[in-house]
Amino acid sequence: MYNNIYFENGKTGEEARSWVKVKAEGKVIQKKAHARIGARLFFLALLAVLAVIVVTASLASNIIAPSSSTTHGDGFVPPMLNEEQKREAISVALSDPLVGNILAKSNWTLFEAGPWTDSGRIVGVIMLIRLERPVWVSGEFKDIGGKNYRAKLWVGNLHVLVDLSARRVVAVSPGMARPPEDPPEAATYEALRAVAEKKLGTRPLLAGLFYTDEYPAGLAFFMATVGDKERIVAVDVARRIVVDKYSGEVIKP
């Protein structure tokens, strides 16, 4: 189970590339991440990890059929992690101020852990940690593609990339969860909620806010159950309008 996910370094010209594979729903889903990931791809990925989603096809650039061993597209078979490496990675993650603070607020489970490799050599560990209950978090994050961003959100899971040799966390990317309630500062965003409510036809809960180059004032996400479906609406904080390309039905595994 723990080696169904891995992270591999590589180079193409001057651009750093990486591959991440996660086994979910009987399929191996493979994502190519670039050092400069676009805002649209970032938010598509964000929508895919809503409601404590492990991983979905929205994150994937390629889906391949599962086999007896998980391999890279060129036939590379990632090395296996041992228990000591997994324990060390957890220890490093818990000592990180951001990760440690989040995990201190909820019981959690190491859902997946796999090797981060460079030329076939293990240099670290990539982990998917699932929280028992959502936690409201505000902070600075970096995804595994190297994209830095600021966000406030209900966190349901964390992707954590640990460099074993340096004993440090190099990337933390939270997955947005279905909000159990409004966060304390929700009253500040009532005007934005009204925009989302008009779109949904029902009063939604604030799920998160993300700040990017495209939306420096923020992009707010509201969620609500409409009929038998979970729906999400993105609202541009500056213009107070719905952003349709980031709104829609919540994808569940």
Side-chain angles (χ1 to χ4, degrees):
M1 174 180 180
Y2 291 120
N3 285 281
N4 287 333
I5 177 172
Y6 71 87
F7 181 85
E8 182 192 349
N9 281 350
K11 292 286 184 181
T12 300
E14 295 182 354
E15 184 178 44
R17 295 174 182 264
S18 61
W19 290 90
V20 176
K21 290 186 178 182
V22 179
K23 188 173 183 182
E25 296 291 302
K27 295 180 179 179
V28 176
I29 297 177
Q30 177 172 281
K31 176 191 174 187
K32 182 189 293 182
H34 296 269
R36 296 180 295 277
I37 189 168
R40 179 168 174 79
L41 176 59
F42 166 70
F43 279 110
L44 287 175
L46 169 67
L47 292 177
V49 295
L50 289 171
V52 201
I53 291 172
V54 176
V55 69
T56 70
S58 296
L59 275 171
S61 59
N62 185 32
I63 298 179
I64 60 176
S67 62
S68 56
S69 63
T70 303
T71 62
H72 189 275
D74 59 7
F76 170 74
V77 178
M80 301 285 285
L81 286 175
N82 58 45
E83 293 302 317
E84 182 180 352
Q85 289 168 322
K86 296 172 192 175
R87 286 193 295 269
E88 183 179 357
I90 285 292
S91 175
V92 172
L94 290 174
S95 67
D96 179 81
L98 177 60
V99 177
N101 179 58
I102 295 172
L103 298 185
K105 296 178 179 178
S106 171
N107 291 332
W108 51 272
T109 301
L110 177 60
F111 190 78
E112 292 275 6
W116 168 15
T117 65
D118 191 352
S119 301
R121 179 178 61 88
I122 294 177
V123 295
V125 178
I126 179 171
M127 298 181 289
L128 177 57
I129 300 172
R130 176 177 287 182
L131 305 185
E132 185 177 279
R133 59 181 178 82
V135 173
W136 180 256
V137 176
S138 176
E140 300 280 343
F141 302 98
K142 177 187 287 187
D143 68 22
I144 55 178
K147 175 73 174 183
N148 291 293
Y149 60 97
R150 185 166 59 93
K152 303 176 182 179
L153 73 160
W154 285 106
V155 175
N157 61 65
L158 291 173
H159 276 101
V160 181
L161 188 62
V162 172
D163 184 330
L164 289 178
S165 59
R167 289 192 56 81
R168 67 184 183 94
V169 170
V170 296
V172 181
S173 185
M176 191 159 63
R178 186 184 187 280
E181 59 187 9
D182 270 327
E185 62 258 51
T188 308
Y189 304 101
E190 283 302 317
L192 302 176
R193 190 205 304 270
V195 175
E197 184 173 355
K198 184 177 180 180
K199 176 75 171 181
L200 292 167
T202 189
R203 182 177 173 81
L205 295 175
L206 178 63
L209 294 103
F210 291 78
Y211 305 88
T212 67
D213 292 341
E214 186 179 4
Y215 297 96
L219 191 64
F221 288 87
F222 294 88
M223 291 182 65
T225 301
V226 181
D228 61 349
K229 296 179 179 179
E230 291 288 339
R231 301 194 67 84
I232 186 166
V233 171
V235 179
D236 183 330
V237 173
R239 296 187 294 165
R240 296 187 179 181
I241 60 171
V242 171
V243 182
D244 287 323
K245 64 182 177 180
Y246 302 134
S247 304
E249 183 180 345
V250 175
I251 304 168
K252 296 182 179 180

